[in-house]
Amino acid sequence: MGSPSGPPFDPDDPDRARRERDTEPIPRIDPDEPPSAYGPGPYADADDAGYGSAYTGEGRSGRAWARDPDGFPDQPISEEELAGLRSDATGMAPRRVLPLEDEPSSLVARYLFPTERYRGEWKRHWIHLTTPIIVGVAATFVLGYLSGFLAGRDVGALTTVAVLLWFGVMGWVAWKVADWWYDRFILTNKRVMVVNGIITRQVAMMPLTRVTDMKYEQSPTGRALNYGTFVLESAGQEQALRVIKNLPNPNELYLRVVEEMYEPQAVEARLGKEADEAKADDGA
């Protein structure tokens, strides 16, 4: 007798079980046999494994099974699962979209043309008033103490000067507050604008199509109080609107501008949905 073909039998061979599995015959399905609960499959071992027609392959030859997308019915998604999908992997909710005003204020409306779609206006953060407020408080304490001190020395002229000086400082503070109130950052579907000034009005704008780079910067104080500075670039050219300081909610505002630049259809769809929901609530 000749020696059998192939390597000698080794009970400790780690690949022996795999070779036996790959070389064993694959039974075919009897066409007269009724289909399994999962539907007929190309091989009996596929049906026995519970895959049925949802998988196709080459038997147990070691190749990966290919999943048939039509092999399983669609499963409905519950509201609890949808709520979970609305959060990211860390459990944080997606970004909050601040509501927009339906109409621009009278201060802004005069600078918009009829076919332009208004997206919102923002005053600068209250941190913009830090210097005027500090000066006003300091002037009140210092000049108030000085007025009382001079009043006891019987120098009425100097007391009057101190009081007038205090009124002048407070007038300057009131002017700064009014200037802050009329200072607006405006976003439309076509441009960004900054309008400021009480007596001499200044209007600066940049088309969204000309914005080549945009960023915002936040200091540690800005991150704590939620304000930042925007920097706009336009093809390396000098422009009237480049650095805008102390804008509130910088991350939200940044996403608003970028979305308006790159996904205007999504903005229109969201605003249209919000309008339909508002009409439905009014009708209810």
Side-chain angles (χ1 to χ4, degrees):
M1 290 179 63
S3 60
S5 61
F9 176 78
D10 184 2
D12 298 329
D13 185 3
D15 298 330
R16 180 171 61 85
R18 180 180 59 79
R19 288 198 301 271
E20 291 179 354
R21 185 185 69 241
D22 293 344
T23 57
E24 69 179 352
I26 300 174
R28 305 292 295 184
I29 293 179
D30 187 354
D32 298 330
E33 182 181 354
S36 63
Y38 296 92
Y43 297 98
D45 55 346
D47 282 339
D48 293 340
Y51 297 121
S53 62
Y55 288 83
T56 59
E58 298 296 336
R60 288 184 285 184
S61 61
R63 298 181 183 179
W65 294 93
R67 180 172 178 175
D68 182 4
D70 298 329
F72 295 94
D74 295 335
Q75 298 294 330
I77 300 177
S78 63
E79 286 297 328
E80 291 77 7
E81 292 172 328
L82 286 175
L85 291 174
R86 296 187 185 105
S87 302
D88 57 19
T90 61
M92 300 295 290
R95 73 179 182 95
R96 178 172 57 92
V97 178
L98 297 177
L100 291 175
E101 298 85 357
D102 294 333
E103 297 293 337
S105 63
S106 58
L107 176 68
V108 173
R110 68 187 70 178
Y111 302 109
L112 305 180
F113 52 88
T115 58
E116 196 170 18
R117 297 188 179 180
Y118 171 79
R119 298 302 189 212
E121 59 185 86
W122 294 265
K123 293 191 296 289
R124 296 181 191 258
H125 194 272
W126 60 263
I127 200 71
H128 194 68
L129 296 174
T130 301
T131 299
I133 291 175
I134 292 176
V135 171
V137 172
T140 299
F141 278 100
V142 172
L143 295 177
Y145 174 80
L146 182 61
S147 298
F149 176 79
L150 294 176
R153 296 296 187 274
D154 195 19
V155 284
L158 293 179
T159 303
T160 302
V161 171
V163 172
L164 293 176
L165 184 60
W166 179 83
F167 274 111
V169 172
M170 297 310 295
W172 176 80
V173 172
W175 179 273
K176 287 296 184 181
V177 172
D179 185 67
W180 166 80
W181 177 262
Y182 287 104
D183 190 353
R184 305 294 174 91
F185 176 82
I186 307 157
L187 174 64
T188 72
N189 66 326
K190 297 187 179 295
R191 53 180 172 160
V192 292
M193 304 171 59
V194 171
V195 178
N196 55 22
I198 299 176
I199 298 177
T200 302
R201 300 293 289 169
Q202 298 177 357
V203 180
M205 76 93 180
M206 180 183 294
L208 292 177
T209 56
R210 295 289 302 276
V211 177
T212 58
D213 187 23
M214 182 181 67
K215 66 178 181 179
Y216 72 89
E217 302 171 351
Q218 278 187 295
S219 63
T221 305
R223 296 179 63 184
L225 299 178
N226 197 20
Y227 71 90
T229 299
F230 273 68
V231 180
L232 305 177
E233 299 289 346
S234 176
Q237 300 175 359
E238 292 294 332
Q239 59 271 347
L241 191 156
R242 184 176 184 273
V243 179
I244 313 167
K245 297 182 178 180
N246 302 329
L247 286 177
N249 302 314
N251 186 69
E252 169 70 18
L253 187 54
Y254 175 82
L255 293 175
R256 278 280 176 86
V257 177
V258 172
E259 188 179 30
E260 195 65 52
M261 292 170 58
Y262 296 105
E263 296 291 341
Q265 296 85 358
V267 178
E268 294 290 345
R270 186 178 71 248
L271 294 179
K273 183 178 180 181
E274 292 176 357
D276 293 340
E277 292 176 352
K279 291 180 180 178
D281 294 339
D282 294 339

